[in-house]
Structure formats: C-alpha cells, structure tokens
Amino acid sequence: MEVDGMCPLEVTYDYWVFECMEEQSRASGMTEDSGKWMLFYPNEQINEAWQRACHLYRGGYLPGVHSMKVSTGKPNPRCSSSATKVIIFYCGPSADKTKMLSIGRTIASAMGVSGTTISYKPDYMTLTGTAATGQLVNHLYRLTV
C-alpha cells in the first residue's frame, strides 16, 4: 500500500501528500484556469487507491492530469467527513467542459470507480470555501460513472 514508502493515512504532519512530475505538468497544459476532479474513498481504502493513482499517473495513463494530491491522516477542519479521504486530480482549463468531462471519464475508468457521481471543481471555487465551511455550490461539472 505504499508509494515510495508513503501511506497517506500514516502522514499526520500535513493535510496533503503531493504527486507531480514536471514533464506531465507541461504535457497536460497546466494553466492558471485549472481545477480538479475529486474522488472520495472510505479511510480504509485510501492508501490502496493512492497507490493505484500514482502508478497510473507515473505511467502516463491519466492524460490531462498535471498533478495530484491526497488527504492524509491529519484531521482537516475543511473536510466534510472524518470517515472519508479524497484524491485530487488537477487538470484544466476548467472552461473547456468537453475536455474536462473526457478527463473525468478517463480518471474514473482507470481508477475503477463506478456507480457514483464525481465532481469537478475549478480552483477559483476553492477560494470560496467547501461544503464543510458552508458553501452550497461546490462544483462546476458532475459525472455519473
């Protein structure tokens, strides 16, 4: 369950563990108008899901994703539930709906996610808060997978 010796739930000194490769960021067209697809997992599944995400990202199987992060074992006041963790897949430009939906479908398929809805949130919405902090609309696009 480790990626380079890192299990997200064992990390308690920071809210996030990051994964970014410079060549992936350039190839995916990282822009200021970026956003993220968010996949939520029960705590007991997050280490394995993160390992899979890193393998896919490093192998080039997540085209359009320029970087990722995963929530850790450190309690986060911006989190809606202490029973789940999230993997964030950064991509953009958020205004390109067709492209973002295609990337979302690729992420869901590669991660084996089905029977649920996933959400895309542009970075500018992050600045306005989260559901846990009272924000009512917390996504730009949704996909039922």
Side-chain angles (χ1 to χ4, degrees), residues 16 25 32 67 78 85 92:
W16 303 103
S25 292
E32 290 182 17
S67 58
R78 290 177 56 103
K85 298 295 180 188

Side-chain angles (χ1 to χ4, degrees), residues 102-141:
S102 176
I103 292 170
R105 284 185 200 93
T106 298
I107 293 167
S109 175
M111 291 296 292
V113 174
S114 62
T116 190
T117 300
I118 62 173
S119 299
Y120 179 87
K121 181 179 179 181
D123 289 341
Y124 69 81
M125 280 189 168
T126 299
L127 300 175
T128 64
T130 66
T133 62
Q135 194 62 22
L136 298 179
V137 178
N138 212 21
H139 65 276
L140 181 60
Y141 309 125

